[in-house]
Amino acid sequence: MLDAFHLIDSERNREFILSTQNLTFGGMARYPDPDTNPGSHKLILTLLRTLLFSHFRLSDFQDPLHTYTGLGGLSLVGEEQLLPINPALNISVRATEHLHRALLLALGGSY
């Protein structure tokens, strides 16, 4: 929408999104797991985990919002296994075309 894809490092974005994935239960979390995804976030996440969730890992909390937006982000950077997304509507291009055809038919037009 902002015509700013040239400002995005697509590969690093993809790596970050995939690092939040919970391979046991599915879904994506807000943060990567610091135990399996070491890096610059490890110290901060470990401290937060210790302070807030003494017996839970932050990455254990995958949720529908982060899963949905993560998949949308992967689609925008061209992940092969995902359908292309319409960023203005935040739905797949296929769903956009279906809605367009349905709207034309509902208004008495044809496609």
Side-chain angles (χ1 to χ4, degrees), residues 31-43:
Y31 302 107
D33 184 343
D35 295 327
T36 60
N37 300 293
S40 62
H41 302 298
K42 184 171 183 165
L43 178 60

Side-chain angles (χ1 to χ4, degrees), residues 37-51:
N37 300 293
S40 62
H41 302 298
K42 184 171 183 165
L43 178 60
I44 294 170
L45 292 176
T46 303
L47 289 172
L48 282 173
R49 182 178 67 194
T50 303
L51 293 172

Side-chain angles (χ1 to χ4, degrees), residues 33-92:
D33 184 343
D35 295 327
T36 60
N37 300 293
S40 62
H41 302 298
K42 184 171 183 165
L43 178 60
I44 294 170
L45 292 176
T46 303
L47 289 172
L48 282 173
R49 182 178 67 194
T50 303
L51 293 172
L52 301 174
F53 306 104
S54 60
H55 58 287
F56 294 111
R57 293 188 317 209
L58 288 175
S59 62
D60 287 340
F61 299 106
Q62 65 278 4
D63 61 86
L65 171 67
H66 288 95
T67 300
Y68 183 75
T69 56
L71 289 172
L74 288 173
S75 175
L76 286 172
V77 298
E79 187 69 22
E80 290 182 14
Q81 294 106 350
L82 298 174
L83 294 173
I85 195 169
N86 178 328
L89 298 176
N90 201 21
I91 59 175
S92 70

